[in-house]
Amino acid sequence: MEEYNFLNLLVREKEGEQMAFFSDICIAEIAQVICAFLNTKGGRILIGFDDKKKPVELIDFDKRLLELKNFVIKHIKPESIINIIEVEYQERRVIQIDVIQGSRQPYSLNNKVYVREEANTLSADENDVGLLYRQRKQNEFHWEKLTVPDTDISLLDIEEVEKTIEISNSKGKA
């Protein structure tokens, strides 16, 4: 029942920067919105709702849901966390997609980058892509770049460092 209440709240939302509605499983269009959400602030997609936000029957539900999942996994790069689930709403099967803003931007769909601006999914221009790369660099965490106070080189295990270099060289990672 709790899931149903949450879905009631989502259905009341307006389509916008972080919310999209589809009446049918339009795989290519939905994938564009997912890609745009990954590149902006994340968002949610509800599939199976008409213009008045009433649930509609989705034909070949199971087959098309699986096709959507497989398409998203195969065509959106880099890989990301996207939750695509079936939900029952007013005795109809609908689809809820939850997309968290990606940390490895820019994300692309078949090598094309999309962004979300209000309720519109747009192809990213070179300025958008540059901004996404800069944001990614700011958000990347590298433990090896952290400063460790009160330490010096004498604390390193030289044998371990040499073994690591040897392994790296043997794997062609020099």
Side-chain angles (χ1 to χ4, degrees):
M1 192 64 170
E2 184 178 316
E3 185 176 287
Y4 187 81
N5 288 332
F6 180 65
L7 194 54
N8 275 331
L9 292 173
L10 291 179
V11 170
R12 285 189 214 133
E13 284 190 36
K14 285 179 155 181
E15 186 146 3
E17 188 175 26
Q18 293 183 279
M19 189 68 189
F21 292 90
F22 286 87
S23 60
D24 197 12
I25 303 172
C26 309
I27 293 174
E29 291 176 41
I30 292 166
Q32 287 177 5
V33 175
I34 291 171
C35 184
F37 283 165
L38 286 165
N39 286 323
T40 50
K41 297 178 182 175
R44 289 199 168 86
I45 301 169
L46 295 179
I47 305 167
F49 292 87
D50 66 16
D51 292 341
K52 295 180 181 175
K53 297 187 181 175
K54 300 291 182 210
V56 297
E57 184 177 353
L58 295 169
I59 307 300
D60 292 328
F61 187 94
D62 294 319
K63 177 183 173 225
R64 294 176 69 212
L65 174 60
L66 182 60
E67 287 172 354
L68 174 64
K69 288 179 178 182
N70 289 335
F71 185 88
V72 167
I73 289 168
K74 184 177 179 181
H75 296 279
I76 294 179
K77 301 294 178 203
E79 290 181 7
S80 57
I81 298 172
I82 301 165
N83 188 33
I84 303 175
I85 59 171
E86 172 188 336
V87 183
E88 188 168 315
Y89 182 76
Q90 296 180 359
E91 299 179 13
R92 296 272 190 199
R93 294 165 71 194
V94 298
I95 299 170
Q96 177 182 328
I97 303 176
D98 301 302
V99 182
I100 298 170
Q101 179 180 358
S103 61
R104 300 180 336 177
Q105 298 168 336
Y107 289 84
S108 65
L109 170 65
N110 294 327
N111 297 316
K112 191 164 186 181
V113 177
Y114 295 90
V115 293
R116 189 81 171 169
E117 190 175 293
E118 295 179 9
N120 301 308
T121 299
L122 309 170
S123 292
D125 62 24
E126 57 193 41
N127 291 330
D128 293 326
V129 174
L131 180 62
L132 290 168
Y133 273 115
R134 285 192 296 279
Q135 287 173 338
R136 178 180 180 172
K137 286 291 181 198
Q138 290 173 350
N139 294 333
E140 284 183 342
F141 173 77
H142 296 280
W143 65 267
E144 68 275 11
K145 292 182 180 177
L146 292 176
T147 303
V148 181
D150 301 326
T151 190
D152 62 59
I153 199 161
S154 67
L155 296 175
L156 289 176
D157 181 343
I158 299 302
E159 285 182 36
E160 190 65 34
V161 170
E162 288 172 346
K163 278 198 304 192
T164 303
I165 292 170
E166 188 176 312
I167 291 169
S168 177
N169 287 337
S170 72
K171 295 184 183 234
K173 306 277 185 189

